[in-house]
Amino acid sequence: MIKVMHYTDAPAENVEQGASGVKIRWIITEAMGAKNFVMRHFEIAPGGYTPRHQHAWEHEVFVLAGQGVVATAEGDRPFKQGDVVFVPAQELHQFRNPGQESLSFLCLIPSPSKCNL
Amino acid sequence: MIKVMHYTDAPAENVEQGASGVKIRWIITEAMGAKNFVMRHFEIAPGGYTPRHQHAWEHEVFVLAGQGVVATAEGDRPFKQGDVVFVPAQELHQFRNPGQESLSFLCLIPSPSKCNL
């Protein structure tokens, strides 16, 4: 059955392990029937950052509000609302919010059972 | 390599075949290295609609601006900015914009080579 909901209907959880000031919402999940890929929402407070890491699955990111930088193997790349970031599998990356306002973006990944998450 | 771009960097194409007033942008594509799933952006003008159809792959939708309805096998479901729509595989669906302003949303699908698109 088709589902319609607001993204804030999914609970916000703190991201630990190498992150600061980051909340994640799992919006469209494998439990909901998403067998191939899943949609998450991230909010990063001013000064916050996600872990600097790399892994075997890609990220597809759409920036909803605010601005930030993504640390890459080639250096920092700035981004802002309306930008899209594609992080291929195995690429080192970290999302940071050096700004004064909250940074909000979608980040989709293959469904966790495909990532061995 | 990590890619950062604005979603409007992807060209807008008219959607034909059962649609009216619909433009699509392919933002993150298989050609870019997205092997598992791809990101598209849709803009539907007031009065416009996508084809009423069903297919073997799912949609994961995030509504960026405006409001609309999704026609489902159980009837019309309204949605608005910040809402998320999950259309499982094989579900009949159609997105319509009965409003006065443009409707803008992301719609992700498995990579086309996985959909036999």
Side-chain angles (χ1 to χ4, degrees):
Chain A
M1 186 184 291
I2 290 174
K3 293 181 181 68
V4 181
M5 64 223 135
H6 196 264
Y7 82 92
T8 56
D9 292 344
E13 303 164 19
N14 289 318
V15 177
E16 314 288 350
Q17 294 183 327
S20 175
V22 181
K23 291 187 183 298
I24 185 173
R25 297 175 192 270
W26 291 76
I27 307 175
I28 298 179
T29 65
E30 214 158 5
M32 197 181 287
K35 297 185 180 72
N36 295 302
F37 59 99
V38 301
M39 184 184 287
R40 299 103 44 91
H41 176 272
F42 283 79
E43 189 162 352
I44 306 184
Y49 51 85
T50 64
R52 183 176 175 87
H53 64 181
Q54 62 198 127
H55 42 63
W57 56 91
E58 71 276 26
H59 287 322
E60 298 193 13
V61 168
F62 189 95
V63 183
L64 297 171
Q67 50 190 331
V69 297
V70 55
T72 79
E74 294 83 27
D76 287 354
R77 300 283 306 277
F79 61 77
K80 62 186 185 309
Q81 184 180 16
D83 279 346
V84 173
V85 183
F86 177 56
V87 180
Q90 301 297 359
E91 286 277 351
L92 185 69
H93 60 280
Q94 179 185 45
F95 293 90
R96 301 198 308 265
N97 181 5
Q100 302 296 314
E101 62 176 317
S102 185
L103 168 63
S104 166
F105 59 85
L106 302 177
C107 178
L108 293 99
I109 58 170
S111 295
S113 64
K114 297 191 173 202
C115 303
N116 297 317
L117 271 180
Chain B
M1 185 184 292
I2 290 174
K3 293 179 183 66
V4 181
M5 63 222 135
H6 195 265
Y7 82 93
T8 56
D9 292 344
E13 302 163 20
N14 289 318
V15 177
E16 313 289 348
Q17 295 185 326
S20 175
V22 181
K23 290 187 183 298
I24 184 173
R25 296 175 193 271
W26 290 76
I27 308 175
I28 298 180
T29 64
E30 213 160 4
M32 198 181 286
K35 297 186 180 72
N36 294 302
F37 58 99
V38 301
M39 183 184 287
R40 298 102 46 89
H41 175 272
F42 283 78
E43 188 161 355
I44 306 184
Y49 51 84
T50 64
R52 184 177 174 88
H53 64 182
Q54 62 197 127
H55 42 63
W57 56 91
E58 71 275 26
H59 287 322
E60 298 193 13
V61 168
F62 189 94
V63 183
L64 297 171
Q67 49 190 332
V69 296
V70 54
T72 79
E74 295 82 28
D76 286 354
R77 299 282 307 277
F79 60 77
K80 63 185 184 310
Q81 184 179 17
D83 280 346
V84 174
V85 182
F86 177 55
V87 180
Q90 302 297 359
E91 287 276 352
L92 185 69
H93 60 280
Q94 179 185 44
F95 292 90
R96 299 197 311 264
N97 181 6
Q100 301 297 313
E101 62 176 318
S102 185
L103 168 63
S104 165
F105 59 84
L106 301 176
C107 177
L108 293 99
I109 59 170
S111 294
S113 64
K114 298 191 174 202
C115 302
N116 296 317
L117 271 181

